[in-house]
Every structure is written in structure tokens, then in C-alpha cells.
Amino acid sequence: MAIIEINNLVKKFPVGKGFFTALNDVNLTFGEGEFTGLVGPSGSGKTTLLNIIGSLDTPSEGSAVVLEKSIAELTHKQSAKLRNQHIGFIFQTYNLLPVYTVYENVEFALLLQNMNGTERKKAVMQALEWVGLTDKIKSKPNMLSGGECQRVAIARSMVKKPQIVLADEPTANLDSKNSHHILQTMEKLNEELKTTFIFATHDEKVMKYMKRIISLKDGQVDNDVQINHSETSNLKL
Ligand SMILES: Nc1ncnc2c1ncn2[C@@H]1O[C@H](COP(=O)(O)OP(=O)(O)O)[C@@H](O)[C@H]1O
Ligand SMILES: [Mg+2]
């Protein structure tokens, strides 16, 4: 079943007296448990597309239907609820709160949920266990490496077990070893929880983990391929 359906999506941004078309007639569907890379050069529309799927922005024309909700038709309150309950975000720059500890940064994602303290603690500790950071719960972000910060961000995005996780260049600031660790963690969560992951990336290292690769070019889908890893495992991607 499709959990994301994008039909004839157009996104235009006002620029000067005219418009810049960042997405131009995009049609895509995503099913449950997909692990997809959205690739393409800088400026091709990756972030714009993730923002619309994540209900942080709205279509100019066409539609994006996420978990049966049409993004264009949601009120602010409804889109906040959709994000809060069902969508996790991971950003290139981690976006951790510097004055809070690792534990508090992850817990923060649950504060708007109707959960008691015991349940919340259990969920936070489980999420930190997924990313292998239970020994750092009291550390603040400035005491952590880039890879560890990104693992906290993954824990924060996953703690509410969202159906969809959107990651915008999640490995852009990481070295190769940390990038692989991050991807292996997400791969494991994808398999265990059936979370749908969509990664915007132009990092070659990310590609070989993907089960599907969608290439964007000038705001349009240029290519959309399913990757069969048993056939491509000998290929150098
Ligand atoms: N708020 C905005 N106003 C004007 N132009 C924008 C805005 N956001 C993005 N764009 C333009 O849309 C294009 C696609 O941007 P983006 O989705 O960020 O690309 P990518 O993430 O693939 O690098 C770029 O040319 C960018 O300059
Ligand atoms: Mg971008």
C-alpha cells in the first residue's frame, strides 16, 4: 500500500517579480518500509521535495498525499500533528539543542506526546540503545563527535517510531566510517520497524545501502530504479 503519493507536483518559489520552478511535474509513490535515496545535483529539488512530504511546505500545484492526508489541505494544526505523530526528520546539521543532554534531546521529541514518565523513559532508552549511545546519556552535544551527534539525531527521529523518516544529507558532515555506521543503524531500523526512509543525498557511500534510487534533475524525476542487492553486490556503486 502506498503511504506517500505524489501526483503532478509543482513547486514554485517567488523570485523577484516572477517564480522559480523548483519541482516540475513530479509523480512518485512510496510504500511501507522503503529505503530510498533521492539523488541529484545541488539545486535539483531534493530538499524541496522532502519538505513537502514532511508537511513543512505545501505544493503550488498537484498533490502530495502522505498517510492519506493531502498536504495542501491541512491546517497548521493538522500538519503539526502529522509531523509530530508520524514523521521523523534528520538534518545535515543534526539540529541538537546545545544546552540539553543526549537524553534530553531525544526525550524532547516525546514531550508533545501523551505519554507518562515511565513510558517515556523506556522509549528514550530504547532509542539510544538502537544507536549505541546509552553510555552517553548525560553528555551534551559539544562533548560528542559528529557521528555521535548524528546518532542522537537518529534516536530523536526514531523515538516515537514514526512511519516515515526523512533525512536530508544525513552523512554530509561525517567521515566515511561514521557514515557507514549511521547507514547500518538506519538499515537495521528499517528492517526491524518497517519504517519508510527517504534520504536526500549526493554522497556515493549512501547509495549502496539503498533499495531504490530516484534521481532528480532540474526539479523532475530523471530516473527511478529498484536496486536488487544480490545482483549488484559485486558492482562498485
Ligand atoms: N525559499 C526559496 N525561495 C526561492 N528559491 C528557492 C527556495 N527554496 C529553494 N529554492 C530553489 O529551488 C531549487 C531547489 O532547491 P533545493 O530543493 O534546496 O535543492 P537541493 O536540495 O536538491 O539542493 C534551487 O535552485 C533553490 O535555489
Ligand atoms: Mg538540499
Side-chain angles (χ1 to χ4, degrees):
M1 196 187 76
I3 61 171
I4 301 170
E5 275 196 52
I6 293 165
N7 288 309
N8 306 112
L9 176 66
V10 174
K11 181 67 186 180
K12 294 177 180 174
F13 292 110
V15 178
K17 286 185 180 153
F19 289 95
F20 177 81
T21 305
L23 294 174
N24 188 4
D25 197 23
V26 171
N27 291 283
L28 289 168
T29 51
F30 296 87
E32 191 186 41
E34 284 200 17
F35 204 66
T36 301
L38 202 55
V39 307
S42 175
S44 55
K46 303 181 297 294
T47 296
T48 306
L49 183 57
L50 286 189
N51 285 347
I52 293 174
I53 294 171
S55 80
L56 295 168
D57 206 346
T58 52
S60 307
E61 293 166 32
S63 66
V65 178
V66 177
L67 300 169
E68 301 182 338
K69 300 204 162 45
S70 175
I71 296 300
E73 287 157 35
L74 299 178
T75 62
H76 279 291
K77 207 171 160 186
Q78 287 167 330
S79 64
K81 190 172 167 201
L82 176 68
R83 287 194 295 274
N84 194 19
Q85 296 187 334
H86 301 295
I87 304 177
F89 294 91
I90 302 169
F91 301 97
Q92 176 177 348
T93 50
Y94 327 133
N95 287 12
L96 301 179
L97 298 163
V99 298
Y100 290 116
T101 63
V102 163
Y103 183 93
E104 289 161 344
N105 265 283
V106 177
E107 184 184 37
F108 194 74
L110 293 178
L111 293 182
L112 293 170
Q113 311 260 333
N114 198 3
M115 233 185 207
N116 69 38
T118 318
E119 284 172 338
R120 199 160 68 223
K121 185 164 185 218
K122 207 172 142 201
V124 173
M125 290 309 291
Q126 185 185 40
L128 287 168
E129 211 168 293
W130 288 332
V131 299
L133 280 180
T134 46
D135 57 337
K136 302 270 181 179
I137 55 174
K138 293 197 174 119
S139 303
K140 301 240 171 99
N142 67 5
M143 300 155 73
L144 303 176
S145 69
E148 287 167 338
C149 285
Q150 195 57 300
R151 276 148 64 196
V152 179
I154 295 172
R156 181 186 55 189
S157 77
M158 294 297 305
V159 68
K160 55 192 176 178
K161 297 190 182 167
Q163 279 163 281
I164 300 168
V165 170
L166 304 173
D168 199 352
E169 314 255 2
T171 58
N173 293 318
L174 302 179
D175 60 32
S176 168
K177 185 166 157 260
N178 273 309
S179 298
H180 287 296
H181 189 177
I182 295 292
L183 283 154
Q184 282 156 7
T185 305
M186 293 198 263
E187 194 174 47
K188 185 183 81 184
L189 292 169
N190 166 255
E191 276 160 25
E192 282 175 17
L193 303 172
K194 296 283 166 271
T195 312
T196 298
F197 280 82
I198 307 176
F199 298 80
T201 185
H202 47 234
D203 181 350
E204 292 283 321
K205 293 186 292 297
V206 173
M207 315 285 187
K208 70 171 195 189
Y209 290 88
M210 297 299 139
K211 296 178 187 161
R212 175 183 178 189
I213 295 182
I214 298 168
S215 315
L216 286 184
K217 195 176 163 191
D218 299 330
Q220 291 189 306
V221 176
D222 192 40
N223 205 358
D224 183 355
V225 286
Q226 301 287 339
I227 311 290
N228 182 339
H229 285 284
S230 57
E231 282 175 17
T232 58
S233 56
N234 294 325
L235 285 179
K236 202 166 177 290
L237 282 172

